[in-house]
Amino acid sequence: IETKNLLQQYIQEGNNLSKFISSFSLKLSVYETEKLRQMEELAASTSKLFTWLFIINLVVLFLVLVLGFFLLYRSLKARSKAEKVLHSYKQSNQFINALAEGIVVQNEKGYIIECNLAAQEILGLTQEQLQGRTSIDPRWKAVHEDGSDFPGETHPAMKVLATGQPQRHVIMGVHKLSGDITWIQVNSHPVKNDQNQLQGVVSTFTDVSEQKQINDQLKQSEHQLKTFMYAVNDGFVMINQNFKVLIANVTAIQIFRDCLGIIVKEGINLFIRVPQQRKEIVLQHLEKVFKGEKVEYEVYYDFIPGRKESWIFYSLTPVINEKQAVVAACITLRDITERKKIEQELQKNEERLQLALDKTGDNAWEHNFNTGSTWFSATNNHFLGYHSNELMQQENENRWWSSTHPEDRDLLKKNDEEYKTGLRDSHSMEYRIYHKDGSMKWVLDRGVVIEKNEDGTPLRIVGTHTDITTEKELQNKTTEQERKKKEAIVEAVIQAQEKEREEISYELHEEVSQVLSTVKIILGIAAANPANAQNYLQQAIERTTDAIEELRKISQNINSSTLKIIGLTDGLKDLVDVVNQTTTIQFELDHTNYDGTIDIDFPIQLTVYRIVQAQIKNIIRHSKATTATIELTNSEQIVQLAIIDNGKGFNKNSAVYGLGFKNIIHRAEQYHGSVEIITEPDKGCRLHVTLPLSVL
């Protein structure tokens, strides 16, 4: 700026001098010419005066010429000096333009008066477009790093002009004409004269767009890394070779605080805070890591007062740079206290299981399909009769197969083939096996695949062998008892059916047959006495009506279609009404707690109806009761029937149930129902039946 101002000053002085000489010479020439003309006029009148004037004119002209040469000399000297200054300025300007850093000069009012080529290239503007602009020009559209507006009055150059203080390392985003943003780092410095007065500001700046993009990516990567670190459940700490913490996530901070009483934060020396009794072993681990090895170990902490007992898993991994040098150690921490408790509990459970298996006679086993080896858990295999030192895993499978009952070997063979072809993943089967002493045992063999090959075929299977010899013997006895019980029930049903047929036959013979015989006799008399035939025919019609009613009653007792039509409660009402007309015992039906909207399968309804019929017959024939109540209730799951009489009752412990009770019990058990008889001598009898709503 000083060079340019000096150059402009010299040029101005030269121009002023030239103008002065020209003006002075012109004025002098005009004046002297006029004087000469006057002198010539005077000379015409007087020669003496002309002579003196001529001499004076020559002297003045000489003085003018001397003065002109002096002024011309000064002008040429000033011009030469100006040319030298101009040459120096051009050389200085070439140097400034050669700089890669942008330079912008603004005067005391903030207007750009000079810029170099780098500034033009970085800002994407020509010198003409830049000169005359100010920082508050809205066309800059400057923004901060966070994307917010960067007002012109807060630009570095304007702050310098406002405060007189330099502004350094300011990051600014400037919109180019293309719309792209160029990020620049600006340094602005004040320009002052000899009197320390602010005359302008010089700003230098560099294009940091690429560096900012790299920094943004780095920040994003660091953010993602921190996000990942804080998201994982494991603790994460990175330390340098001086054991200083570079980074630590929340989980690691919490583990160190709760388990070790160490406050971890960035910058602290982690090794110093390691408990004294752990320093030596920790130092050994860290030395291995900084040599490039990975170290993993578990530590149980129970020696720190006021801290909970805990198990911590450590994984130390070296961090290697591009030169394959270890620059840091990454420490992963995991609180495995709960896992250790579970493992300890599992170990105890395994010990208990092994003890239980040994005590109960069960034998755990594992088979590997690839190697063919079989492992037995029992020290003394009570199925085979061999001790563990007599059993080899490679021979156990053949020994077991050879000890299996010949009739059951095909069962094992088929099961084995289905496993190998992938048709099954588990099994449970019973078969016989021979003991070393020749005795035979029943074994319950159960297993499940726990590992498969890549092709899906089983690799390992585990299971148990359970001795069910006693259960099988008991089952055989129970089966025989069940068979006999079923035979007895079938016999009871047959007898009940025969009894029912006899009763129907009796009713048909004693009731209907006698009525019809009477009708036949009356019709014969009517035929023999035509005069009185009308009276006999009326009697025959009445008797025939009685026969029809008897047949209807018999049909209702043996036919269930009526029950389907009128429903269970109405069917029981009709039954009670008919019984009350034919016996001195007064029967009552109570169905106030029976919900007719609940669906009950018809076979269940029919069973309830038949049980009521059977118990009514039992009461009439054996109870000597005067009253009896039939209670019918139901819920969303069951239907219940209670029949209570005030008869003589009986002793349950010594009683032999007759065909009627057996038939009732069989009907209830047929649909998984239950029957309870509550009675004592002289205290009547209560029959309680519970049935499901559905036959399924």
Side-chain angles (χ1 to χ4, degrees):
I1 292 173
E2 291 179 357
T3 302
K4 185 176 181 181
N5 291 340
L6 184 60
L7 178 62
Q8 290 176 346
Q9 181 181 350
Y10 285 155
I11 292 173
Q12 187 66 35
E13 287 181 0
N15 291 337
N16 293 339
L17 183 60
S18 298
K19 290 179 181 180
F20 175 76
I21 293 173
S22 300
S23 177
F24 181 78
S25 299
L26 180 61
K27 289 181 181 180
L28 184 62
S29 300
V30 172
Y31 178 77
E32 289 300 323
T33 302
E34 181 64 26
K35 283 292 185 180
L36 288 174
R37 187 183 63 78
Q38 292 177 358
M39 289 175 66
E40 287 178 355
E41 291 178 353
L42 290 174
S45 59
T46 174
S47 59
K48 188 177 181 178
L49 181 61
F50 176 77
T51 301
W52 282 106
L53 289 174
F54 180 75
I55 293 171
I56 292 172
N57 187 37
L58 288 176
V59 172
V60 172
L61 182 61
F62 175 76
L63 292 174
V64 170
L65 290 175
V66 171
L67 181 60
F69 276 114
F70 175 74
L71 293 176
L72 181 61
Y73 173 76
R74 284 194 61 183
S75 177
L76 292 174
K77 188 176 180 179
R79 186 178 183 85
S80 176
K81 190 173 183 179
E83 288 178 353
K84 289 181 179 180
V85 171
L86 181 61
H87 179 69
S88 175
Y89 169 75
K90 288 181 178 180
Q91 287 184 332
S92 176
N93 196 35
Q94 288 175 354
F95 170 75
I96 293 174
N97 285 331
L99 294 176
E101 190 175 28
I103 300 176
V104 170
V105 181
Q106 294 171 261
N107 62 18
E108 69 277 7
K109 293 183 179 180
Y111 289 98
I112 297 175
I113 60 174
E114 193 60 68
C115 64
N116 68 348
L117 293 176
Q120 300 171 38
E121 183 178 351
I122 293 173
L123 298 176
L125 298 171
T126 65
Q127 186 174 11
E128 290 75 13
Q129 291 172 325
L130 284 170
Q131 285 183 339
R133 272 200 190 189
T134 65
S135 295
I136 60 175
D137 193 315
R139 289 177 293 178
W140 290 117
K141 298 180 182 178
V143 292
H144 288 284
E145 284 187 275
D146 60 1
S148 60
D149 290 339
F150 203 141
E153 57 271 14
T154 63
H155 287 194
M158 300 306 291
K159 279 192 174 183
V160 171
L161 292 176
T163 64
Q165 300 298 320
Q167 302 292 315
R168 297 182 176 89
H169 310 302
V170 178
I171 302 298
M172 177 189 296
V174 180
H175 282 80
K176 290 184 176 181
L177 295 177
S178 62
D180 297 332
I181 295 180
T182 297
W183 292 95
I184 57 176
Q185 185 180 55
V186 185
N187 293 289
S188 296
H189 298 273
V191 176
K192 299 180 180 181
N193 59 16
D194 295 339
Q195 288 76 35
N196 201 33
Q197 294 176 337
L198 187 64
Q199 289 186 317
V201 59
V202 175
S203 298
T204 60
F205 51 88
T206 55
D207 188 345
V208 294
S209 299
E210 183 176 351
Q211 183 63 38
K212 185 178 184 305
Q213 183 179 3
I214 295 173
N215 291 339
D216 290 344
Q217 291 176 350
L218 181 60
K219 288 180 181 178
Q220 184 178 2
S221 298
E222 290 177 352
H223 176 72
Q224 291 175 346
L225 175 60
K226 287 186 177 181
T227 302
F228 168 75
M229 287 176 51
Y230 286 102
V232 297
N233 293 326
D234 291 346
F236 180 87
V237 178
M238 186 177 292
I239 61 173
N240 61 17
Q241 293 184 334
N242 295 323
F243 311 125
K244 288 188 176 181
V245 176
L246 302 177
I247 191 170
N249 69 350
V250 174
T251 306
I253 294 172
Q254 183 177 352
I255 291 175
F256 277 116
R257 182 191 65 213
D258 295 344
C259 300
L260 302 178
I262 297 176
I263 304 301
V264 174
K265 58 183 179 179
E266 295 181 6
I268 71 165
N269 189 313
L270 186 61
F271 183 72
I272 294 177
R273 289 163 172 77
V274 173
Q276 188 62 38
Q277 56 267 53
R278 292 283 305 159
K279 282 186 179 293
E280 183 177 353
I281 185 65
V282 170
L283 183 60
Q284 293 176 5
H285 291 325
L286 290 174
E287 287 175 350
K288 289 181 180 180
V289 174
F290 285 115
K291 289 180 181 179
E293 299 181 29
K294 181 176 180 180
V295 179
E296 292 183 348
Y297 58 94
E298 298 175 355
V299 181
Y300 175 62
Y301 295 101
D302 64 344
F303 50 78
I304 302 177
R307 301 294 169 183
K308 67 176 184 179
E309 298 180 5
S310 56
W311 279 91
I312 305 298
F313 170 78
Y314 290 92
S315 177
L316 284 63
T317 307
V319 179
I320 301 173
N321 63 11
E322 65 277 2
K323 296 181 180 179
Q324 301 302 309
V326 179
V327 294
C330 177
I331 305 174
T332 302
L333 307 91
R334 186 180 305 150
D335 188 340
I336 58 172
T337 306
E338 293 302 320
R339 193 193 78 187
K340 280 293 184 180
K341 290 180 179 179
I342 294 174
E343 289 178 354
Q344 292 171 357
E345 190 64 29
L346 284 175
Q347 184 176 358
K348 292 179 181 179
N349 290 338
E350 288 178 359
E351 292 174 355
R352 295 191 193 103
L353 176 61
Q354 184 61 54
L355 180 61
L357 290 173
D358 291 341
K359 294 298 183 181
T360 59
D362 284 1
N363 177 21
W365 56 269
E366 178 181 333
H367 178 69
N368 188 306
F369 283 95
N370 284 357
T371 62
S373 61
T374 301
W375 167 82
F376 294 133
S377 66
T379 302
N380 184 15
N381 194 306
H382 56 274
F383 290 105
L384 300 176
Y386 295 98
H387 195 270
S388 59
N389 56 13
E390 299 178 272
L391 299 171
M392 303 296 293
Q393 291 191 20
Q394 296 297 332
E395 301 175 359
N396 284 341
E397 183 181 17
N398 291 333
R399 186 181 292 274
W400 187 266
W401 278 63
S402 61
S403 300
T404 303
H405 194 286
E407 295 178 1
D408 297 337
R409 288 175 188 171
D410 288 340
L411 182 65
L412 269 69
K413 182 178 180 181
K414 180 182 179 182
N415 184 68
D416 193 52
E417 289 175 350
E418 289 179 351
Y419 268 115
K420 291 179 179 179
T421 56
L423 294 179
R424 73 166 57 238
D425 290 326
S426 62
H427 74 271
S428 177
M429 57 184 179
E430 301 172 358
Y431 53 89
R432 294 160 292 179
I433 194 162
Y434 285 108
H435 191 271
K436 180 181 180 180
D437 60 10
S439 62
M440 188 187 73
K441 294 181 177 293
W442 276 94
V443 58
L444 172 60
D445 188 342
R446 289 174 289 192
V448 61
V449 174
I450 61 170
E451 185 178 354
K452 293 184 178 182
N453 292 312
E454 294 180 356
D455 58 1
T457 57
L459 175 60
R460 287 194 304 141
I461 180 174
V462 297
T464 58
H465 289 148
T466 305
D467 189 346
I468 58 171
T469 305
T470 303
E471 289 82 351
K472 271 293 183 180
E473 293 174 353
L474 181 60
Q475 181 182 351
N476 291 336
K477 292 180 181 178
T478 303
T479 302
E480 181 64 20
Q481 291 173 355
E482 288 292 331
R483 185 185 64 79
K484 291 180 179 180
K485 181 179 179 181
K486 288 181 179 180
E487 288 179 353
I489 291 173
V490 171
E491 180 64 24
V493 171
I494 293 173
Q495 291 181 14
Q497 291 174 346
E498 290 297 325
K499 184 67 175 176
E500 189 173 20
R501 291 191 183 97
E502 290 177 2
E503 291 177 355
I504 294 171
S505 176
Y506 173 80
E507 290 177 357
L508 290 174
H509 181 269
E510 297 296 328
E511 300 293 337
V512 179
S513 179
Q514 290 182 9
V515 172
L516 293 177
S517 296
T518 303
V519 171
K520 181 180 179 182
I521 294 171
I522 292 173
L523 291 175
I525 295 172
N529 298 283
N532 297 322
Q534 186 65 32
N535 293 331
Y536 292 117
L537 289 175
Q538 184 62 37
Q539 292 180 20
I541 293 172
E542 291 175 358
R543 292 287 185 171
T544 303
T545 301
D546 292 339
I548 293 172
E549 183 63 24
E550 287 297 327
L551 288 173
R552 187 188 68 80
K553 292 178 181 178
I554 295 171
S555 175
Q556 185 176 2
N557 286 334
I558 64 175
N559 190 2
S560 62
S561 59
T562 304
L563 186 64
K564 288 183 179 180
I565 297 172
I566 65 176
L568 179 59
T569 54
D570 289 340
L572 292 177
K573 285 180 183 178
D574 288 349
L575 177 62
V576 170
D577 290 343
V578 172
V579 171
N580 284 335
Q581 294 174 8
T582 58
T583 180
T584 59
I585 302 174
Q586 188 63 36
F587 286 87
E588 180 182 355
L589 175 64
D590 180 4
H591 59 90
T592 55
N593 294 322
Y594 179 81
D595 186 355
T597 62
I598 297 176
D599 290 335
I600 302 176
D601 287 356
F602 180 72
I604 302 297
Q605 296 185 45
L606 182 60
T607 299
V608 172
Y609 186 82
R610 295 303 187 200
I611 290 175
V612 172
Q613 282 182 317
Q615 185 62 5
I616 286 175
K617 290 180 180 179
N618 288 338
I619 293 172
I620 293 173
R621 291 175 180 175
H622 309 294
S623 70
K624 295 183 179 180
T626 58
T627 62
T629 302
I630 302 169
E631 296 178 354
L632 182 65
T633 61
N634 65 346
S635 65
E636 294 293 336
Q637 290 81 29
I638 59 174
V639 57
Q640 292 181 312
L641 172 68
I643 304 176
I644 308 103
D645 67 69
N646 64 349
K648 64 180 182 179
F650 57 90
N651 190 337
K652 282 178 58 178
N653 296 328
S654 60
V656 178
Y657 292 132
L659 185 61
F661 272 131
K662 289 182 179 180
N663 192 23
I664 290 173
I665 294 172
H666 169 68
R667 287 183 180 276
E669 289 181 348
Q670 183 179 4
Y671 297 114
H672 308 288
S674 63
V675 177
E676 183 181 12
I677 300 173
I678 303 172
T679 183
E680 290 183 22
D682 300 324
K683 291 187 178 181
C685 177
R686 178 186 180 92
L687 175 71
H688 191 273
V689 181
T690 302
L691 290 166
L693 301 182
S694 174
V695 297
L696 299 178

